[in-house]
Amino acid sequence: MSRPAGRVDDRRRWQALGVGLVAAFMTLLDVSIVNVAVPSIDRALGATPSDLQWVLSGYALTFGLVLVPAGRFGDARGRRTAFVVGIALFTLTSALAGLSRSPGWLVAARLLQGVAAGIVNPQVTGLIQQLFRGPERGRPFGLLGATIGVSTAVGPLLGGLLIQAGGEQDGWRWVFFVNVPVGIVAIVLGWRLLPTQPAGAAQGRRLDPVGVLLLGVGVVLVLLPLVQREQWHSPWAWLLVPAGLVVLAAFGLWERRYARRGPPLFDLRLFGFHSYALGSLIALLYFGGFTAIFFVLTLYLQNGLGYRPLVAGLAITPFALGSAAASAIGGRIVDRYGRPLVATGLLVVLLGLGAVVFVLRDDPRTSVPLLTAVPLLVAGLGSGLVITPNQTLTLAQVPVPQAGSAAGMLQTGQRIGSAAGIAAVGSVLFSALSDSDGNWATAVRHALLLAMGIISLGLVAALFDHRHARAGRKAGRPARR
């Protein structure tokens, strides 16, 4: 029986967190697991390149679209309701995707699946803010960071295993069906274990529909040319990005005005917190480079070197293992070291990726997974010291009643960063392939160097913050993380 949740006992809150982490893993896994299923989907359904692009990018588009409204809904109406509705929709749409009989059916299921994922994820972060206080948030955020890192990196491996087990013709369906039993269990346990009292009940229940519309239109305009980069070849398509930025600026003005008469969809005053503003910037830049790594390496291993999906997934596993281990540690020590820990993690990621570029310098044709295993492990260790500590520090000063919308905006930035990074790095990859007459090793090196450049900008931001904090301490100002 679920008890009124003002105060949740220690065992119950860890059980609730476990349910949330499983749901987060499931929804984030679907960002990358489908990549290795694309050739099978193509053969089974006769999909066009545009169809396949929407199967991959449509999920990311609708995922990013609903994060902030869903977070605000959870703040105002209760995270348990939003979580259970989101998981139920995710489970249903996963089953529909697995049952697809045409490309249009699969694309529609993926769009709705992305909406469901966007509903679920802010509730998990908001739940941590609600159930844990101060330094004790380090461990649950460490576990969430490990979940993010592992789910992103392990997707190709799990996808390859499922396709091999299910067969080339129908194995791709199990990439979606695997969510169904897990989702049913998460619905039952989520309803039983998650707290019922709305965290933001005292702030009122209006959900700012104009703000929802402006933010949605702005995010779609920014993301659409990024996720459709392979299908839209006209340069005019890129005009949607500045148009989206204008709409997002209008969203900011509207939110500032709306805040005078009620709680807005997103309180812009959160960017007045140094930790939230800087952490959001670092997250956007890091995900811009981090996500592109797997996109590039998966293409290289399968299309360039002809490895099977399972082997390609195994090759990226060292990154996932390193990320999982370091995330758990990073969550525990972040309160001791603060933002310098994030800067250290970013530097380690760059060293690992630099080593990958070095070992690929002579266009190796054999044993690439072995050559890149240790460098990717090092990069993964660094990643674990970035995602978890940065998320913990970014949300540290956010009031609990705004935790869902704050987490939603943070994750929206991550989704935009991922889409922009893959678009930019992908363009360099394909351009270098064309210029080098199909030399994959050269193209991959160029693409990885750009990914490193994007991550380096995050390192510059973290170092600037560290220098700013040191100057503040010398001047007698209180330290700000």
Side-chain angles (χ1 to χ4, degrees):
M1 208 159 155
S2 75
R3 68 180 66 178
R7 186 70 187 152
V8 180
D9 67 66
D10 192 62
R11 180 182 175 189
R12 189 182 184 86
R13 66 178 181 167
W14 283 103
Q15 290 174 336
L17 175 64
V19 176
L21 291 178
V22 169
F25 180 85
M26 214 171 36
T27 56
L28 293 169
L29 183 72
D30 267 54
V31 174
S32 60
I33 193 173
V34 180
N35 287 322
V36 297
V38 164
S40 299
I41 293 171
D42 187 13
R43 287 191 294 270
L45 300 181
T48 66
S50 180
D51 294 328
L52 295 174
Q53 181 67 21
W54 273 103
V55 168
L56 294 174
S57 61
Y59 181 85
L61 179 65
T62 52
F63 191 151
L65 181 62
V66 301
L67 282 165
V68 176
R72 175 70 186 121
F73 181 89
D75 290 338
R77 305 288 174 86
R79 296 191 177 98
R80 185 180 77 166
T81 300
F83 179 89
V84 171
V85 169
I87 286 295
L89 181 60
F90 188 83
T91 304
L92 175 62
T93 53
S94 294
L96 290 173
L99 293 169
S100 296
R101 292 292 179 266
S102 68
W105 179 338
L106 180 57
V107 168
R110 283 288 283 174
L111 291 172
L112 290 173
Q113 197 185 29
V115 169
I119 293 171
V120 171
N121 274 271
Q123 317 313 326
V124 179
T125 311
L127 186 70
I128 293 175
Q129 296 284 94
Q130 183 177 342
L131 296 181
F132 299 88
R133 295 288 184 269
E136 68 178 2
R137 289 175 180 163
R139 185 180 174 196
F141 270 128
L143 293 172
L144 179 60
T147 301
I148 294 170
V150 172
S151 63
T152 304
V154 83
L157 171 60
L158 184 56
L161 285 169
L162 290 169
I163 292 169
Q164 183 158 310
E168 284 293 320
Q169 182 64 26
D170 290 318
W172 66 271
R173 298 185 185 276
W174 290 100
V175 167
F176 301 108
F177 285 148
V178 72
N179 294 325
V180 176
V182 181
I184 291 171
V185 173
I187 291 169
V188 174
L189 294 180
W191 189 258
R192 286 176 58 85
L193 296 172
L194 267 62
T196 58
Q197 181 181 342
Q203 290 197 28
R205 293 174 174 265
R206 297 165 65 188
L207 294 176
D208 185 10
V210 175
V212 170
L213 178 64
L214 288 173
L215 180 63
V217 171
V219 169
V220 168
L221 289 176
V222 170
L223 284 178
L224 201 54
L226 296 174
V227 300
Q228 283 292 100
R229 67 195 180 281
E230 292 300 308
Q231 304 305 320
W232 291 0
H233 301 295
S234 170
W236 294 103
W238 294 103
L239 291 177
L240 293 178
V241 174
L245 295 176
V246 170
V247 175
L248 290 176
F251 165 74
L253 294 173
W254 169 261
E255 292 299 281
R256 189 179 296 276
R257 178 183 174 187
Y258 190 89
R260 297 174 192 153
R261 51 196 174 104
L265 176 65
F266 177 78
D267 193 340
L268 294 174
R269 290 175 296 183
L270 289 174
F271 285 118
F273 292 122
H274 181 75
S275 59
Y276 188 79
L278 183 82
S280 297
L281 175 62
I282 292 174
L284 184 146
L285 291 169
Y286 182 65
F287 273 76
F290 156 72
T291 314
I293 297 168
F294 309 111
F295 170 73
V296 168
L297 291 179
T298 301
L299 281 178
Y300 175 45
L301 290 165
Q302 291 187 78
N303 296 357
L305 300 180
Y307 286 107
R308 294 173 64 87
L310 179 58
V311 178
L314 283 169
I316 299 171
T317 301
F319 189 103
L321 295 175
S323 180
S327 291
I329 297 170
R332 292 175 181 271
I333 64 176
V334 62
D335 282 305
R336 187 186 312 168
Y337 296 105
R339 197 74 69 183
L341 182 64
V342 177
T344 300
L346 288 164
L347 181 59
V348 173
V349 172
L350 290 171
L351 291 173
L353 292 181
V356 172
V357 172
F358 178 77
V359 300
L360 297 180
R361 69 193 184 284
D362 294 324
D363 192 17
R365 291 291 175 185
T366 58
S367 304
V368 167
L370 293 177
L371 290 173
T372 59
V374 172
L376 285 177
L377 176 64
V378 171
L381 290 169
S383 185
L385 298 179
V386 176
I387 295 175
T388 297
N390 187 62
Q391 187 162 253
T392 304
L393 295 169
T394 301
L395 298 174
Q397 296 177 308
V398 173
V400 172
Q402 296 169 295
S405 56
M409 186 62 79
L410 176 63
Q411 291 185 50
T412 299
Q414 292 172 357
R415 300 276 74 79
I416 291 174
S418 295
I422 289 174
V425 173
S427 295
V428 168
L429 176 73
F430 296 125
S431 176
L433 271 176
S434 176
D435 294 343
S436 62
D437 295 324
N439 188 319
W440 273 92
T442 298
V444 167
R445 288 200 304 273
H446 289 172
L448 288 178
L449 286 172
L450 177 58
M452 290 174 64
I454 298 170
I455 293 171
S456 296
L457 295 177
L459 176 60
V460 169
L463 291 174
F464 173 80
D465 177 64
H466 178 55
R467 181 177 179 182
H468 183 271
R470 287 184 61 186
R473 284 194 297 270
K474 289 181 180 179
R477 296 195 300 268
R480 297 185 296 178
R481 286 181 177 161

